[in-house]
Amino acid sequence: GQNIDQPTEMTATEGAIVQINCTYQTSGFNGLFWYQQHAGEAPTFLSYNVLDGLEEKGRFSSFLSRSKGYSYLLLKELQMKDSASYLCAVLDSNYQLIWGAGTKLIIKP
Amino acid sequence: IAGITQAPTSQILAAGRRMTLRCTQDMRHNAMYWYRQDLGLGLRLIHYSNTAGTTGKGEVPDGYSVSRANTDDFPLTLASAVPSQTSVYFCASSLREGSLNTGELFFGEGSRLTVL
């Protein structure tokens, strides 16, 4: 079966750095996505990785290792507004998105 | 309309009733999707449509039906609602050309449905 694992909840301090991990086992691979979802709102796109390595976009970076079935989302200089759930999703061989359950990130002052 | 719009935003209905959730997008995206989101679970695909006139079943299609008469609209119907269909429903769209799927989804704001 297809499976995506990420921690249920993480806590970090304002101004710090946090890394949210995602491991996956899917039927084929055509890219990995990270989405941000604030409570009561729709998910919004953060990043897309299809090749190994690090993609940096402002305070957010996403890393992929296809051989390890592993990705992480790195958030720097944390702000209170970064409190949200972060969803990892993999595009499988049928070009369908398989979603993880999401990681709820709590930022403390 | 800007982006993707869902209606209603929230609804309570009795078990056994028929309900249609509406979804409209103005981005001319080929592909549209319906997901449900439940606590502790990832987004689960109910039905999808790669282009107007075609639909397909996702991971959890039972009890739901969809239609795609044109590019913009993708309604989801619960023929006879049951309590297990209590959930938050998200409609989404993406640009897709044949087998090429950019994968980036644009979501509506969600419809919170409670079935009693």
Side-chain angles (χ1 to χ4, degrees):
Chain A
Q2 308 205 86
N3 193 54
I4 296 183
D5 288 317
Q6 46 181 137
T8 302
E9 186 174 298
M10 299 181 70
T11 302
T13 304
E14 189 177 16
I17 298 173
V18 71
Q19 177 175 311
I20 302 173
N21 296 324
C22 171
T23 58
Y24 63 89
Q25 292 176 307
T26 57
S27 302
F29 179 85
N30 283 298
L32 186 143
F33 295 80
W34 285 96
Y35 281 77
Q36 181 189 60
Q37 185 178 23
H38 286 100
E41 298 183 8
T44 55
F45 171 80
L46 282 178
S47 68
Y48 170 66
N49 294 68
V50 67
L51 299 176
D52 290 351
L54 188 68
E55 295 277 345
E56 297 187 72
K57 191 185 293 185
R59 295 189 298 113
F60 292 8
S61 303
S62 55
F63 172 83
L64 175 67
S65 169
R66 288 172 297 171
S67 63
K68 296 182 179 178
Y70 167 70
S71 172
Y72 67 73
L73 181 69
L74 191 72
L75 291 73
K76 303 176 185 175
E77 301 169 15
L78 285 170
Q79 301 175 11
M80 297 304 293
K81 67 178 182 180
D82 297 330
S83 292
S85 289
Y86 292 86
L87 313 181
C88 175
V90 171
L91 200 60
D92 71 7
S93 57
N94 293 318
Y95 289 91
Q96 297 293 340
L97 274 173
I98 310 301
W99 295 84
T103 298
K104 182 178 181 180
L105 178 63
I106 300 168
I107 310 296
K108 295 186 174 180
Chain B
I1 298 177
I4 187 163
T5 303
Q6 291 183 231
T9 55
S10 180
Q11 182 75 44
I12 300 172
L13 75 161
R17 299 298 294 268
R18 180 184 180 90
M19 177 73 195
T20 295
L21 304 180
R22 300 183 298 279
C23 177
T24 300
Q25 54 106 357
D26 65 354
M27 298 175 284
R28 308 305 293 173
H29 283 170
N30 318 78
M32 296 187 74
Y33 312 84
W34 274 105
Y35 287 93
R36 60 178 290 172
Q37 188 175 42
D38 302 288
L39 270 176
L41 299 176
L43 287 161
R44 292 184 291 169
L45 184 64
I46 304 170
H47 284 287
Y48 65 94
S49 169
N50 288 335
T51 189
T54 69
T55 62
K57 294 182 179 180
E59 181 185 356
V60 288
D62 294 343
Y64 305 94
S65 64
V66 292
S67 61
R68 187 87 183 277
N70 56 61
T71 299
D72 299 344
D73 301 302
F74 191 45
L76 175 74
T77 297
L78 289 67
S80 179
V82 295
S84 62
Q85 292 177 310
T86 294
S87 188
V88 180
Y89 291 86
F90 286 102
C91 180
S93 70
S94 70
L95 186 63
R96 181 176 178 138
E97 297 289 344
S99 63
L100 175 64
N101 189 341
T102 64
E104 180 181 351
L105 296 184
F106 295 82
F107 286 85
E109 290 303 308
S111 297
R112 184 175 296 275
L113 188 65
T114 302
V115 183
L116 302 176

